Amino acid sequence: MTARALMFQGTGSDVGKSLIVAGLARALVLRGLKVAPFKPQNMSNNAAVTADGGEIGRAQALQARAARMAPTVDMNPVLLKPQSEVGAQIVVRGRVYGKAKAADYQALKPDLMGAVQESFARLKAGADIVLVEGAGSASEVNLRNNDIANMGFARTCDVPVILIGDIDRGGVIASLAGTKAVLDPDDAKMVRGFLVNKFRGDPALFAGGMARIAGATGWEGLGLIPFFPDARALPAEDALALDQVQAGKNDPKLKIAVPLLPHIANFDDLDPLVAEPAVEIVRVRPGTALPGDAQLVILPGSKATLSDLRALRDAGFDIDIAAHMRRGGAVLGLCGGYQMLGRVLRDPDGIEGPPGEAEGLGLLDIETTLSGEKRLEPVRGITFDSVPFEGYEMHMGRTDGPDCARPFASLADGTTEGAISRNGTVYGTYVHGVFASDPQRSAWLARFAAGTAQIRYDDQIETILDGLAAHLEAHVDIDRLLTLSR
């Protein structure tokens, strides 16, 4: 029997679509259903590698975990990864399809709808229900022509829609009623109900607001969802999460500075460190100096490494990092950050932007040349200190040089990876997700005399997903959602 499906669209970005789908996936799994998450088109530089060697948006990987399924490329058949001057890299079913600027991509979308429909059909064939997440805002009617992400998909595949509004940012009545006003009438008929997310305070005070929205739209109110603070500890996909104010730590033992560059990618690598009580992560935007008392600077991944290297220098972060090294500090580069640490970075074929090359920071004796071949693979092994880890590689380019003779990691297949400086204070690796390993975090904390890991990261994620499911069970009419699915 073919699965039923229900789609969740939003009045805007960051209204909570991804988390609501994840929480509902876990809630329905706990009810005994087989659930598959699906997002036809995603735009994010935070991605995850699937077991079959593809890549999908980080949110769909979290939703798959919530559904207790292994992530597959069918869960996010079209992934757009913004770059610099070249627009976005287009990933179809986990593999690089090409690159295009925004206007050119609009013309490509009809060619991609077939891949979207095929992936959706495969998921439906193996599940009881497919929970579909829209992209951005349903009210972006200027993008409606050839749409594959929101109403275009819903209409083509005949999937009912639930619209989500965010009351925390204000104006939720207008945003929901306004969406109804601008939607094509046939698109608006696809919407079966609405949810209001991130409510703070006494729910009784917004009973009239729910009724006003229902009256203005003709849509059924299916839940007023109180703010769920633990959600901030789940892996985020949207770079808007980088603006969240972190809770203060009572007595941090290790301060880590992280320069935020325009094309930052896979920033969820740092989430396990953020969760540690003894660690303070200081995210530093251009215009602010790196803190002088940080023991470690981490350069995260980038989707446009040469461009971000220029931005790093323009911000004066290279000067701050040099001063940090003179004070005896350490530096860790992850993926694109690793490439920046070398002597030279070359992009002869214009993989991430206009062809060119640039002098790196010179903290590692390595050189990197970008190429069209992309390595996408889950990996495991031991790091230089014999501590085990599991993670994944997701990068384009080859790195060589004398410091590679001191590898960051030895992989299970017998190869080595990464580099360490001669004095042992600069580290570079292509491995993402290494800090999700509890022994790895303990080793890094011990290296800076900050104790050992105080949390079990995977257990914490599971506990939060269970809590989110219970939260939605209490505040959303899930029985009605199941009735509305088709």
Side-chain angles (χ1 to χ4, degrees), residues 233-264:
L234 293 172
E237 180 178 77
D238 198 317
L240 291 171
L242 295 172
D243 292 326
Q244 292 179 356
V245 177
Q246 297 181 56
K249 303 291 181 73
N250 290 330
D251 186 25
K253 300 292 193 302
L254 171 60
K255 179 178 283 190
I256 301 174
V258 181
L260 295 183
L261 301 176
H263 304 96
I264 186 171

Side-chain angles (χ1 to χ4, degrees), residues 31-47:
R31 289 184 175 204
L33 297 176
K34 186 173 183 180
V35 184
F38 180 68
K39 184 158 184 167
Q41 173 196 291
N42 201 350
M43 178 178 283
S44 177
N45 277 334
N46 252 23

Side-chain angles (χ1 to χ4, degrees), residues 41 86 118 356:
Q41 173 196 291
V86 299
E118 290 173 18

Side-chain angles (χ1 to χ4, degrees), residues 9 26 57 102 106 127 129 161 216 234 237 291 300 311 328 391 413 434-435 468 479 482:
Q9 297 184 26
R26 177 55 60 90
Q106 300 307 312
I129 185 167
V161 174
L234 293 172
E237 180 178 77
D413 64 5
V434 68
F435 291 119
L468 179 58
D479 291 334
L482 290 172

Side-chain angles (χ1 to χ4, degrees), residues 384-452:
F384 57 91
D385 46 5
S386 299
V387 178
F389 72 91
E390 292 186 1
Y392 61 96
E393 289 190 43
M394 178 187 296
H395 65 90
M396 304 176 96
R398 180 178 177 84
T399 298
D400 298 290
D403 281 349
C404 292
R406 289 177 292 277
F408 179 87
S410 298
L411 304 183
D413 64 5
T415 61
T416 58
E417 184 283 327
I420 299 175
S421 64
R422 186 180 296 274
N423 66 2
T425 61
V426 182
Y427 312 83
T429 179
Y430 279 121
V431 177
H432 293 285
V434 68
F435 291 119
S437 164
D438 299 340
Q440 276 294 324
R441 289 198 314 286
S442 283
W444 280 89
L445 266 63
R447 192 167 293 120
F448 294 94
T452 59

Side-chain angles (χ1 to χ4, degrees), residues 161-174:
V161 174
I162 305 300
L163 191 63
I164 301 170
D166 177 1
I167 197 171
D168 195 44
R169 63 179 61 185
V172 71
I173 296 174

Side-chain angles (χ1 to χ4, degrees), residues 96-159:
V96 176
Y97 176 87
K99 57 188 178 183
K101 293 188 176 180
D104 297 326
Y105 175 69
Q106 300 307 312
L108 284 175
K109 289 194 293 187
D111 297 332
L112 301 178
M113 180 60 97
V116 167
Q117 289 177 279
E118 290 173 18
S119 287
F120 181 57
R122 275 195 288 271
L123 290 179
K124 288 187 74 175
D128 297 317
I129 185 167
V130 179
L131 300 179
V132 185
E133 179 187 342
S137 171
S139 62
E140 291 170 340
V141 292
N142 55 305
L143 300 177
R144 175 61 179 86
N145 189 37
N146 297 328
D147 172 60
I148 65 173
N150 289 310
M151 288 301 178
F153 169 82
R155 291 272 296 277
T156 298
C157 296
D158 192 27
V159 179

